Amino acid sequence: MNKHIKIIAVAASWLVIALLLISYKHTIIITGDKVLLETKAVDPRDLLKGDYVRLNYAINTVPNETIDGKRLQTGKRYYVLLAKNDGNPFWQVSGVTDKKPAGGIFLIGRKQWSRMVYGIEEYYVPEGKGLDIERKCGEGLAVEAAVTKSGLPAISRLFFNNEELKIREK
Amino acid sequence: MQFFFVILYLAGLALPILGLIYLVKIIAGKRGAEKGKIDFLKNEALRWGNLGIITKEQYDNIIKLYLSKESKKLNLVKVIMFCGAIFLGLGVLLFVSSNWDKLSNLNRTIILLTATFASLFAGYYYTEIKQTIPALGKSIIFLSTIMWGASIILIAQIYHIPSSGNWIILLLWGLPILPLAVLFKNRAVLWLSIVILAVWNFMYSYDMSAANYYYPLLALCVLLPLSKNDTAAKWLSITGLFAAAWYAPFLKYEWLALLIPAGTLAYHVISGEKKYLIASALAFPAWYVTFFVHHGALPNYYAAVPVAVLIYLAVKAKHDVSFTLALCGGMITANLLIWRVFQPQVYNYGAETYFLVCFYIMLGIALYILNGFLKGKLWEGGAKVLTFLPLVMALIGLFTISFKGMAESLRGDSIARLEYFIMAFSSAVLLFFVYAVVSGVFQGNTGKFEKTGLGLVIVSVAAVYLSLGNVPLMIIAANAALFGLTVIMLFFGKEIESPPVFNFGLFLFGAATFMRYFDVGWMLMSRSMFFLLGGLILIGLGLVFDWNRKTMLKKARRGGLRDETNNNDADSARGGQQ
C-alpha cells in the first residue's frame, strides 16, 4: 500500500508541475493587457524544441540607456514602461526604471549587452516553416503580446500586414 | 483527419512499449529456461563433487563456463533490441510530429501526458506488483522519464518559451524525476537526473551570465548523498561539480589558487596516498583553464612541467585514475600551449577548433598505437587506460567533426600555420601506423579489428583534409569514420567480450544517430525515415549477434571448448559490468 502512495505522489507531482506550467503561461495570455509590438524575424532553430522564428522587437532597443545618469548593466532586471502614441498602432518604450512602477503598462526586461530581452523573442513553428515565415515576414510583422500587471509577457498572436497569421491550420 | 493522427500518435507511443514487453518476455523466458538447466547442472555437479568424481576447482569451472557466458550474450542482444525498439518508436513519433499542425495544442499535450503517465504506471506495475521481470519495469520507468521531458519541452514550445529559458525546462525535467530514482531505486533514472541537472547548471550560467550557486548546493547536499553505493552516479556528480567550479574563476589572487594542486601534490609525495594525486591531477588543469578563461591569457611553457610530473608520478604509483586524469590534464595543457604557439595566425575560431579536434583524433590514434608497442611494459590498469582513453578521444573527436555546423565553420578559410602543423602531424601518425602494422604490433583476430578501425579513421581524416571546403564530402567522411568505428567497436567488444567497449560503441552509435536528427536536414532522407532505418539496423545487428551466438554454441557443442586464454580475458573484462 505504501508503494502505491509513492508512485501516486510522483505522478501527482508531475501532473501538478505540468498544469502549473501551462496555467502560468495561459493566465498571462487570458488576463494580461494586450499590446501590439513591431517586430522583425531573424534566424531560426533550437536544439530542444525544433524550429522557431527569432523575433527582434523595436522595444528590444531602449533609446536612453541610463537611469539617473548611470548606464544600464548587462544581466540585471529592469522595468520597461510602454506607451502608445495616437495614430501609431504599436506600443513603444517610454522609459526605464529599476523600481517597480506604480501603474501603467510595463515589461520586466533583462539587459543583455546592447539589447533588452523580455522572454518573448522566439516563436515556435511547425518543422520546416521557420524559413518561410522569415522570408515572407521580414517587414510588416507584429506580435500581440499579453502583459500582466506585474510585467510578465507572453505571445498571444502573430500579425502580418495587419492580418492575423495562423500558422497551425486545423 | 484529426482522429487519424491521434491514432497514429498513440500507435507510435505504444509500439516501443509493446515491442519492449514482447522482446523482454521472450528473452526473459529464454533465460528462465536457461536458468532451469543451470540449476539442474548445479545440483548434478554438486553431487559429482560429493561423490568425489570432480574437485571443487573443477566444479567452479563448470559452473562458470555455463553461467557467465549465456547470461552475458543474451544481455547484449537485449540491449541492442531495446535500443532498436526505442528508435523505431521515435521514428514513428517523428513522422507524426512532422505533421503535427494537424493536431491542436491541447490534444498534443493530453496525448503526451497520457502516454507519460501510462508508461509510468506500467513501469510501476512491472517493478512493484508483478515482479517477474523487473528489468522490463525499470526500462519502462526510464522511458516515462524521457517522455516527461518531452512533455515539458512540448508545453514550453506551445507557449514560445525562448531558448534562453531552456534551463527552466531542464530543471523541470531533471528535478521531478529524482524522487522516482530514489523511491524505486532506478539507477538509470538517477543518472539521467544527474546529467540533466549538470546541463541545467551550464544553461543557467550561460543564460543569466552568472554563476549558479544552487547547483553545487544541490550536488553536494542531495545528489552525492543519494548516490551512496553507485560509483557511476558519484563520478557523474563529481564531474558536474568540477565543471561548475570552472564557472567561478578566481579573481585577484589567482596565484594563490595554485597552492591547491601544488599542496596536494606535495602531500602525495610525502604520504604516498593516491587521493591527493587525484586531487592534484584535477586541480592543475582546472587552474590553467580558469586562468585562461578569466584573464584571456595563455599559460606559459612551464605549465608543461607539473603535468609531466603528474604523469610520471601516476605511472610510478601505478594508479589508473590518476593516470587517466594526468593524461587528460596533459591534453588540456597541450591544447592551450598549441594555441600559444599558433595564436598570431588565428583567422577564425571555427577553423582552429576543427583542426584542433582533428589533432586530438590523430593523437588518440598515435597513443593507441604506442600502447601496442608498450604491450607488457605497463601495468595492467595502465595498459587499459591507454587503450580506452585514446579510443574515447578519437571517438569524441569524430563525433564533434561529424556535425554539419563544424564543417561549415571551415568554409572559405585560408590555410594557416596551425593547419599545416596538424596535417604534418597526421601524416606522421599515418607513417607510425604503417610502421606498427609492418612490425606486427597488431596480431590475431583482435589485431584485425584494430587495424581496420585505426586505418578507417586515418583514411577518413585524410579524406576530410583532401575535401576541405566541400562541406558535404567532409561530413560524409567524418560520419563514415564515426559510424564505421562504432560498428567495429560493437563487433570488437563482442570479440574480446568486453562490455565497456561494446556498451560505449552502442552508446555512441545511439548518440550519433540522435544528433544527426538535429542536423540531418540537408540529407535527402527525412528524420523519421532516418530513425526508422536506424531502428531496423539496430534490430538487424541484434539478430546478427543472436545468430552468431547460436553458431558459436553449435561449434562449441561439436568441437569441444574454445581456447582457455580467451575465456580468462573475458572474465576479467566482465568484472566491471553489472
Side-chain angles (χ1 to χ4, degrees), chain B residues 390-405:
Chain B
L391 208 61
V392 171
M393 250 166 86
L395 280 166
I396 291 177
L398 285 173
F399 187 63
T400 313
I401 61 167
S402 72
F403 283 83
K404 188 186 165 205

Side-chain angles (χ1 to χ4, degrees), chain A residues 14 23 33 47 98 103 107 120 124 130 133 139 142:
Chain A
W14 287 14
S23 56
D33 299 308
L47 212 64
D98 48 7
L107 283 170
I120 48 171
Y124 288 84
I133 297 168
E139 297 284 330

Side-chain angles (χ1 to χ4, degrees), chain B residues 305-375:
Chain B
V305 177
V307 171
V309 170
L310 279 169
I311 294 178
Y312 170 74
L313 285 177
V315 172
K316 202 177 141 209
K318 296 193 175 179
H319 190 221
D320 306 354
V321 177
S322 324
F323 187 47
T324 313
L325 291 174
L327 281 177
C328 290
M331 274 176 239
I332 293 171
T333 314
N335 194 338
L336 293 173
L337 290 182
I338 288 175
W339 270 68
R340 191 184 174 86
V341 175
F342 293 102
Q343 208 184 18
Q345 277 75 38
V346 168
Y347 288 102
N348 130 343
Y349 271 104
E352 304 309 314
T353 312
Y354 193 92
F355 273 93
L356 274 176
V357 172
C358 290
F359 173 72
Y360 281 107
I361 296 171
M362 296 318 280
L363 187 63
I365 301 293
L367 284 178
Y368 194 95
I369 300 170
L370 183 70
N371 186 40
F373 278 108
L374 288 177
K375 205 167 271 173

